Amino acid sequence: MMTFKSQCVVGFCMWIILSCGLTPACAVPVKAGCEVIGEEIEDFHAQGEAMAIRFPFLEANIWYRKLPVDNSTTFQLFHSKRHDLRNQGHRVIQKGRVLWLLPSLPSDSGTYTYVFSSDTFCLTGSFTMTIYEKGREDMDMMSHPVSVKPDNNLTIECPHINHFNRLESPRWFKGFHAGVPLKNGTHYEILSGDALTIRNVSAEDEGLYTCWLTVIFNNAKYNVSRTWKLQVLSPVTSIPESHTEPTTKSQDVTLTSSNLLPPYITTPVNGSVIESRLGSSLVIQCKAFVADRSPVITELTWLVDGQSVESSHLHGRVFQESRRVSDGHVEALLVFLEVYEEDTRAKLKCVAENLSGKQDVVIQIKLEDSMLAWLVVAPVASFFFMLVVCVFLHLLCRKQHKHNDYILARQNSTF
């Protein structure tokens, strides 16, 4: 936004440009006067359970920027279908920067927008959630994928339950609805309640594993569940080229490197340059196509100068979100809480790998050139300058013309 001020110099007025809003702090995405953080990771749950909606991107920004959280700050939440969340009785409760659904209903699905602000800052972002009706859950979306080779031991933990006030340790089941209870034994071992170990995994162990627990909020009890989807990998077999003809001897289909598609990264394109503004937040998506049968066994990883994000010099300001699997694709997000000039010199690589192959793409961050903004400002400033000059010359000519007429009249007058 340009600011102009009128100032009189040597008898005439001209316009002076005082500021042009080109500083990095003003260059980040802004919505309704608030800096846009971005969209949180989408979440999926079943109806009838207690749910706590949190905002990890916002919390990471508060921690990284060392923003004050006290009586001077406010946190507002809005729903795409219900603009006022406070009129939902005791079922929907906002406590600090967490929204509790007690219990959750399909009508709670939608996009939640938040505004976290004070006198010195304002941040906004959004979170999308889907609550499935009972009996119509999409387990591919709700479950956490995990894969393991046969004859290995696998340990899984009941995820994202630390913020609940629990009355008991989770109970583990094989399956989801009406699952088979699992108990300590030679094959299964429940460690401190939160973790389940499956020993000597075999093909029969493939499927869903659900942990159920009872939580308490305001002296009321609610149920919470989390589900893992286990896929057991078949051993990699080597097939000579002379014996690759199809056979009809067996109808069994095994997942080997011979029938598993290698990953193909669709986003971003290798060699891409991602433009961002200095000081702004940035989320870079890496998405790989791996067909319907292999998403859960494809690894997708971001590297910074050949190192994992956690081991790189960007750690603390940059992190990788957990991968997501959907519709034959695997997706991983690289999140920058704040872009620095040094990020332009980092080699960012996304690597996708499974049993059948590997692909990687390299991208680079580039800071948006402030000269582009001046290219917009300069014509506007030039127009106003020429307009002022034209007005000044017009007024000067009129004044000179009137002065000449007055002198001629006096010469023809009789005293």
Side-chain angles (χ1 to χ4, degrees):
M1 177 180 178
M2 291 186 296
T3 304
F4 298 93
K5 183 178 181 180
S6 177
Q7 179 174 329
C8 292
V9 180
V10 196
F12 67 95
C13 294
M14 63 179 297
W15 292 90
I16 301 176
I17 302 177
L18 293 181
S19 62
C20 293
L22 300 176
T23 59
C26 298
V28 296
V30 174
K31 181 180 180 181
C34 293
E35 179 182 341
V36 179
I37 292 180
E39 187 173 352
E40 304 275 351
I41 302 300
E42 191 173 3
D43 204 0
F44 307 88
H45 289 274
Q47 80 170 95
E49 299 182 6
M51 182 177 175
I53 300 179
R54 294 170 174 265
F55 307 92
F57 281 13
L58 172 63
E59 297 302 324
N61 272 272
I62 293 175
W63 171 82
Y64 174 72
R65 304 184 188 194
K66 297 180 175 60
L67 299 178
V69 181
D70 50 32
N71 294 333
S72 66
T73 58
T74 60
F75 182 78
Q76 296 175 292
L77 265 176
F78 308 92
H79 189 268
S80 56
K81 299 177 183 177
R82 299 190 301 268
H83 296 289
D84 190 355
L85 296 173
R86 293 170 295 183
N87 296 328
Q88 301 298 316
H90 297 292
R91 191 184 69 84
V92 180
I93 299 176
Q94 181 180 335
K95 190 174 182 181
R97 296 185 300 280
V98 181
L99 183 69
W100 291 86
L101 305 177
L102 305 165
S104 60
L105 299 176
S107 58
D108 296 324
S109 300
T111 300
Y112 293 78
T113 303
Y114 62 81
V115 176
F116 180 62
S117 62
S118 73
D119 294 337
T120 58
F121 65 84
C122 183
L123 305 178
T124 184
S126 60
F127 170 81
T128 301
M129 178 185 64
T130 301
I131 303 295
Y132 294 103
E133 296 181 10
K134 188 174 183 179
R136 301 181 64 179
E137 296 89 352
D138 187 338
M139 299 311 302
D140 287 335
M141 302 302 294
M142 286 179 49
S143 59
H144 300 263
V146 63
S147 59
V148 65
K149 293 181 180 180
D151 300 325
N152 288 343
N153 296 338
L154 173 67
T155 299
I156 53 178
E157 294 185 357
C158 198
H160 309 305
I161 60 172
N162 292 332
H163 50 271
F164 289 107
N165 183 12
R166 294 181 275 166
L167 289 180
E168 59 183 4
S169 297
R171 294 162 290 159
W172 286 91
F173 297 84
K174 175 73 180 296
F176 184 66
H177 285 301
V180 178
L182 302 180
K183 297 181 179 180
N184 279 315
T186 57
H187 191 56
Y188 300 109
E189 182 180 0
I190 300 176
L191 305 173
S192 68
D194 292 353
L196 170 69
T197 296
I198 307 174
R199 300 191 181 281
N200 299 320
V201 174
S202 64
E204 288 75 18
D205 295 317
E206 197 168 66
L208 301 177
Y209 290 83
T210 303
C211 54
W212 288 82
L213 66 153
T214 302
V215 301
I216 187 169
F217 191 95
N218 288 348
N219 297 321
K221 297 179 181 180
Y222 303 94
N223 292 325
V224 171
S225 70
R226 301 286 187 265
T227 302
W228 288 89
K229 185 177 182 180
L230 170 61
Q231 180 172 5
V232 180
L233 306 179
S234 297
V236 179
T237 58
S238 177
I239 302 178
E241 293 184 2
S242 58
H243 295 85
T244 56
E245 296 85 355
T247 177
T248 58
K249 291 183 180 180
S250 175
Q251 298 299 321
D252 295 336
V253 180
T254 58
L255 190 60
T256 66
S257 59
S258 61
N259 56 22
L260 179 66
L261 292 178
Y264 174 71
I265 299 178
T266 58
T267 304
V269 177
N270 190 37
S272 297
V273 177
I274 308 297
E275 288 197 350
S276 180
R277 294 181 184 271
L278 186 66
S280 66
S281 301
L282 176 64
V283 178
I284 306 178
Q285 177 196 53
C286 184
K287 194 172 186 179
F289 174 74
V290 289
D292 295 333
R293 301 188 57 213
S294 57
V296 295
I297 62 172
T298 299
E299 295 295 332
L300 198 61
T301 308
W302 279 99
L303 300 177
V304 178
D305 294 332
Q307 296 181 315
S308 65
V309 180
E310 292 78 9
S311 303
S312 71
H313 63 282
L314 303 183
H315 177 58
R317 182 169 52 87
V318 182
F319 60 93
Q320 176 181 332
E321 274 292 332
S322 300
R323 68 172 192 167
R324 293 182 287 181
V325 178
S326 63
D327 300 329
H329 288 82
V330 183
E331 178 185 0
L333 301 179
L334 185 65
V335 181
F336 288 74
L337 297 179
E338 187 175 1
V339 174
Y340 285 5
E341 185 178 0
E342 66 182 73
D343 300 337
T344 62
R345 298 185 289 272
K347 181 181 180 182
L348 307 177
K349 178 188 291 186
C350 181
V351 181
E353 184 176 12
N354 61 20
L355 297 174
S356 190
K358 175 181 178 181
Q359 187 195 14
D360 59 66
V361 297
V362 178
I363 66 168
Q364 187 178 6
I365 295 179
K366 178 184 177 182
L367 297 180
E368 292 185 4
D369 193 350
S370 60
M371 288 302 296
L372 294 176
W374 280 109
L375 292 176
V376 177
V377 173
V380 178
S382 299
F383 170 77
F384 278 101
F385 177 75
M386 294 302 297
L387 180 63
V388 170
V389 171
C390 292
V391 171
F392 171 72
L393 293 176
H394 177 69
L395 294 176
L396 187 63
C397 291
R398 288 186 59 184
K399 183 177 180 180
Q400 185 67 32
H401 181 68
K402 287 184 177 181
H403 182 66
N404 292 338
D405 290 345
Y406 176 68
I407 294 176
L408 291 175
R410 288 191 59 184
Q411 290 176 348
N412 296 329
S413 300
T414 303
F415 294 94

